[in-house]
Amino acid sequence: MVNTTIKTTKSQEIFSAAQSLMPGGVNSPVRAFKSVGGQPIVFDRVKGAYVWDVDDNQYIDYVGTWGPAICGHANPEVIAALHSALEKGTSFGAPCALENVLAEMVIDAVPSIEMVRFVNSGTEACMAVLRLMRAFTKRDKIIKFEGCYHGHADMFLVKAGSGVATLGLPDSPGVPSSVTKNTLTAPFNDLEAVKVLFEENRDQIAGVILEPVVGNAGFVSPDAGFLEGLREITHEHGALLVFDEVMTGFRISYGGAQEKFGVTPDLTTLGKIIGGGLPVGAYGGRRDIMSMVAPAGPMYQAGTLSGNPLAMTAGIKTLELLQKPGTYDYLEQVTKKLADGLIEVARETGHAACGGNISGMFGMFFTKGPVHNYEDAKASDTAKFGRFHRGMLEHGIYLAPSQFEAGFTSIAHTEEDIERTLQAAREVMSSL
Ligand SMILES: *Cc1c(COP(=O)(O)O)cnc(C)c1O
């Protein structure tokens, strides 16, 4: 299928050339639009709430490079800070004062984090935190939830949400069962299932890892008491609680989901926003646990480019901008208008729909709902979502190309952008 109402000749040329150069023409699967049909558009540049493709079409963007662009794309203050950092070099491979600055900001912001280690991606952060959970507890098994994504490391590629689900790969080939046999899974929001797993695997479970608000199975909030319940159960069994806040950190509030919901995990992973658009991840938590990480302790983990001055600079400037009073109120205001508006428009045009938002993270499913877990999310009409996605693209609105991805706004999105988006949604949904 090709775009009908917008000209995308150059996008098509570049993307077809890409197919023979990179697997599927992309460097990360969801970008290829497999689950929504049609060809992806190829970006040329981004600014504020907008992106432009190589054919010079402009779109209002609700992906925000999958979360990091919370201050708006190519934010002038972030770019200016990067320009001056660039003059001093891009990578030191040695201690640099900027690492202290970002570390202090993260420790001050995130309730569970007393010490932090920077890495280069969310995947890396989750891999390392898993090793740390095991090293600290001397136990091998972990519990994760169906539909939660914790990066592409072997032991997490079990019921791993959007990227994997969308491609119809329940597990990936190349992942040995000897690795995933220690990964236990439960439905999100199901405390009973977690209790049963702990009973059946007494003294063997290192901990529980979850997205405290799920964004990789579409947008799914924790039910009242779920996070608190996990905190109690893990305490009872001497296991660790780990919040993967790669997506929610600095997004649903400055201190992440743990601040928002008042539940403090033992360890936390971060990524996306803390790199301000450059590659950064981090893991941190209780001082006694983090003291196991080399060279303070025996758990090995390292990185050539970790803590490089460019990534630290983009992260520092982004967090500084987010500290301005009113940031999260504004994100809540525009995003709620969008999320509520989309559901209203869907219902008025005769489509079953549900969804919601917390601050600048939102989602909408084409199903009556409510959606408490991945099983519920899968009831969504994904074929309809595909047509909706394509229609919105042709109306100049860039949504995440999968029903099972959360959407993101930024402080650069205006009320007018939201109104234009809802107007487009009304036209598209009326014709579905
Ligand atoms: C994006 C994401 C990751 C992986 O981060 P990468 O930087 O893509 O490796 C891990 N966990 C969650 C919750 C994410 O949203």
Side-chain angles (χ1 to χ4, degrees):
M1 193 171 93
V2 290
N3 300 328
T4 48
T5 58
I6 51 170
K7 190 172 140 299
T8 56
T9 328
K10 284 187 189 159
S11 270
Q12 287 177 44
E13 272 171 26
I14 293 169
F15 190 66
S16 49
Q19 309 267 353
S20 62
L21 301 170
M22 294 165 287
V26 289
N27 284 306
S28 195
V30 181
R31 294 178 197 169
F33 277 34
K34 290 264 190 215
S35 74
V36 289
Q39 286 219 355
I41 51 166
V42 175
F43 284 21
D44 179 60
R45 61 194 190 278
V46 293
K47 189 77 189 168
Y50 310 116
V51 305
W52 286 264
D53 68 15
V54 285
D55 293 283
D56 225 22
N57 300 302
Q58 183 186 339
Y59 306 84
I60 303 175
D61 177 35
Y62 293 104
V63 181
T65 184
W66 301 96
I70 192 167
C71 295
H73 285 293
N75 181 286
E77 292 185 55
V78 177
I79 299 283
L82 280 172
H83 271 299
S84 20
L86 196 52
E87 294 298 321
K88 296 169 91 176
T90 59
S91 176
F92 298 164
C96 114
L98 294 167
E99 293 168 294
N100 293 18
V101 178
L102 188 59
E104 263 182 6
M105 292 176 96
V106 168
I107 290 165
D108 286 348
V110 185
S112 67
I113 299 188
E114 295 173 347
M115 277 182 127
V116 66
R117 165 63 59 85
F118 292 113
V119 293
N120 303 292
S121 69
T123 293
E124 233 189 290
C126 293
M127 281 170 64
V129 94
L130 176 65
R131 186 176 303 146
L132 183 55
M133 288 161 79
R134 288 169 162 170
F136 186 77
T137 59
K138 302 191 175 63
R139 299 173 180 179
D140 284 345
K141 294 184 179 173
I142 57 148
I143 297 177
K144 78 175 281 291
F145 293 92
E146 293 164 15
C148 282
Y149 180 65
H150 305 296
H152 64 77
D154 282 0
M155 44 287 172
F156 291 123
L157 282 186
V158 182
K159 303 187 176 166
S162 170
V164 187
T166 302
L167 291 171
L169 306 171
D171 285 310
S172 171
V175 176
S177 53
S178 57
V179 173
T180 53
K181 77 173 198 292
N182 286 319
T183 308
L184 312 172
T185 59
F188 195 75
N189 277 324
D190 189 343
L191 281 179
E192 276 314 307
V194 175
K195 282 184 195 155
V196 169
L197 288 175
F198 270 105
E199 289 305 327
E200 287 173 350
N201 298 273
R202 276 205 169 267
D203 303 328
Q204 296 174 58
I205 297 175
V208 175
I209 185 167
L210 73 156
E211 294 179 66
V213 176
V214 186
N216 286 288
F219 171 82
V220 184
S221 311
D223 290 344
F226 179 61
L227 301 176
E228 292 82 351
L230 291 176
R231 185 61 285 183
E232 274 173 35
I233 299 169
T234 45
H235 261 317
E236 255 168 54
H237 289 270
L240 300 175
L241 180 62
V242 183
F243 281 6
D244 177 354
E245 299 230 39
V246 170
M247 187 183 287
T248 53
F250 297 94
R251 175 155 291 275
I252 66 174
S253 82
Y254 189 70
Q258 50 199 278
E259 177 185 69
K260 179 99 191 166
F261 293 101
V263 175
T264 307
D266 301 296
L267 294 166
T268 299
T269 55
L270 295 167
K272 299 192 167 113
I273 289 175
I274 57 159
L278 271 81
V280 183
Y283 61 102
R286 273 165 43 191
R287 186 175 297 276
D288 59 328
I289 307 176
M290 289 304 290
S291 300
M292 287 207 73
V293 179
M299 192 215 85
Y300 192 70
Q301 184 273 311
T304 302
L305 293 173
S306 297
N308 74 75
L310 277 192
M312 296 297 102
T313 297
I316 292 164
K317 186 47 82 178
T318 298
L319 297 197
E320 273 174 17
L321 291 170
L322 291 175
Q323 284 172 359
K324 289 189 181 156
T327 300
Y328 290 88
D329 291 337
Y330 181 73
L331 283 171
E332 172 64 28
Q333 182 190 320
V334 284
T335 318
K336 187 169 169 47
K337 178 174 172 146
L338 174 68
D340 290 356
L342 284 174
I343 293 161
E344 195 181 300
V345 166
R347 290 183 181 154
E348 281 172 16
T349 49
H351 304 285
C354 69
N357 77 291
I358 301 180
S359 178
M361 177 175 170
F362 70 95
M364 188 202 68
F365 294 106
F366 278 117
T367 182
K368 182 162 62 58
V371 171
H372 294 291
N373 57 37
Y374 187 43
E375 219 32 55
D376 297 342
K378 282 195 293 192
S380 190
D381 187 339
T382 52
K384 187 184 277 181
F385 180 81
R387 296 196 300 277
F388 174 62
H389 183 274
R390 176 57 52 178
M392 290 299 273
L393 197 67
E394 291 176 357
H395 280 73
I397 312 293
Y398 191 80
L399 299 172
S402 165
Q403 170 73 97
F404 302 114
E405 295 283 356
F408 304 111
T409 53
S410 76
I411 52 179
H413 284 77
T414 62
E415 301 266 346
E416 199 202 326
D417 292 326
I418 305 297
E419 279 151 24
R420 267 177 57 201
T421 305
L422 292 175
Q423 182 54 37
R426 186 173 295 280
E427 287 168 29
V428 174
M429 289 205 205
S430 304
S431 71
L432 284 184

